[in-house]
Amino acid sequence: GQNIDQPTEMTATEGAIVQINCTYQTSGFNGLFWYQQHAGEAPTFLSYNVLDGLEEKGRFSSFLSRSKGYSYLLLKELQMKDSASYLCAAVTGTASKLTFGTGTRLQVTL
Amino acid sequence: GAVVSQHPSRVICKSGTSVKIECRSLDFQATTMFWYRQFPKKSLMLMATSNEGSKATYEQGVEKDKFLINHASLTLSTLTVTSAHPEDSSFYICSARDPTSGSGYEQYFGPGTRLTVT
């Protein structure tokens, strides 16, 4: 089966850096997405990694290690508006479905 | 960027009635759409994959006779919750895949529908 794990909750201070980890065990892996979701809203795309390494996009960066089944999302210069849930999702199977992790609720404090 | 709309955003219905939720890709053609369910403070659970012009593929444990999915065109998929019960109350989110965009795997999400069954 598919298994994707993330920490349930994290807290960080405004202006700081936070790293949200995601480990996965899946079949037919075709890459990993990170989405941001504010309460009651739809998830919005942050990043996609298919090759090993770090992808940087402004304040957000995402890393993937396929051999270790591991990814992380790095958020720099945290702002209050970054308080949200962060979902990692693996592209799996022949139908290329997204299998979502449990989601990490990030609270940014002053 | 690709936009997906969902209607209605909120609906309250009585037990035993049916509710239809529409999902539309507004500026791209989506051969594949997905329906998810999300419980409070939980992640998204895939219910079914909807392919234009063919029957939907349901995930294990999802009742296909209860959650009817129709993907009649490249821009519209509908989910009908039949004979709704209070336990069907949830946040339903659709997504559409744009095969011409980026990786080709990316899904664009609708704003969701909050269903409350009384």
Side-chain angles (χ1 to χ4, degrees):
Chain A
Q2 321 286 14
N3 190 40
I4 301 178
D5 288 318
Q6 304 176 236
T8 304
E9 294 184 346
M10 298 183 72
T11 302
T13 307
E14 188 178 35
I17 299 173
V18 70
Q19 177 174 311
I20 303 174
N21 296 324
C22 172
T23 58
Y24 63 90
Q25 291 178 305
T26 65
S27 58
F29 180 79
N30 277 310
L32 190 131
F33 285 92
W34 283 95
Y35 284 88
Q36 180 191 62
Q37 186 181 27
H38 286 97
E41 298 181 9
T44 55
F45 169 80
L46 291 178
S47 67
Y48 172 70
N49 294 67
V50 64
L51 300 176
D52 285 359
L54 185 68
E55 297 274 347
E56 297 186 75
K57 190 184 296 184
R59 293 190 300 116
F60 293 1
S61 302
S62 57
F63 171 84
L64 177 67
S65 169
R66 295 178 70 129
S67 61
K68 295 181 179 178
Y70 168 69
S71 174
Y72 68 72
L73 180 69
L74 193 70
L75 292 76
K76 303 176 185 176
E77 301 170 16
L78 280 173
Q79 302 175 9
M80 298 299 289
K81 67 179 182 179
D82 297 330
S83 294
S85 287
Y86 291 86
L87 311 174
C88 70
V91 183
T92 61
T94 55
S96 298
K97 299 183 295 187
L98 289 185
T99 301
F100 280 85
T102 50
T104 300
R105 287 194 303 279
L106 174 66
Q107 181 69 43
V108 179
T109 61
L110 292 172
Chain B
V3 179
V4 175
S5 70
Q6 204 171 324
H7 179 79
S9 57
R10 289 179 178 271
V11 59
I12 301 173
C13 71
K14 294 185 177 180
S15 284
T17 61
S18 296
V19 173
K20 180 185 283 188
I21 302 170
E22 291 187 349
C23 178
R24 295 180 184 273
S25 57
L26 297 185
D27 51 3
F28 66 99
Q29 293 185 329
T31 54
T32 306
M33 291 184 169
F34 303 85
W35 288 96
Y36 295 86
R37 185 172 179 176
Q38 188 173 34
F39 292 100
K41 297 186 179 181
K42 299 293 184 181
S43 192
L44 279 72
M45 182 189 76
L46 179 65
M47 298 175 66
T49 301
S50 168
N51 291 296
E52 187 265 338
S54 64
K55 292 184 178 180
T57 303
Y58 290 81
E59 295 299 299
Q60 192 172 6
V62 178
E63 298 175 60
K64 63 180 181 181
D65 294 330
K66 180 168 185 59
F67 298 99
L68 301 178
I69 292 173
N70 185 293
H71 194 156
S73 76
L74 287 172
T75 59
L76 173 64
S77 177
T78 60
L79 168 68
T80 301
V81 182
T82 63
S83 187
H85 289 283
E87 56 264 33
D88 298 326
S89 298
S90 192
F91 192 52
Y92 292 87
I93 304 178
C94 72
S95 70
R97 186 161 66 202
D98 181 0
T100 68
S101 166
S103 66
Y105 296 119
E106 186 175 340
Q107 295 179 22
Y108 298 92
F109 288 85
T113 297
R114 174 75 58 193
L115 170 64
T116 302
V117 184
T118 60

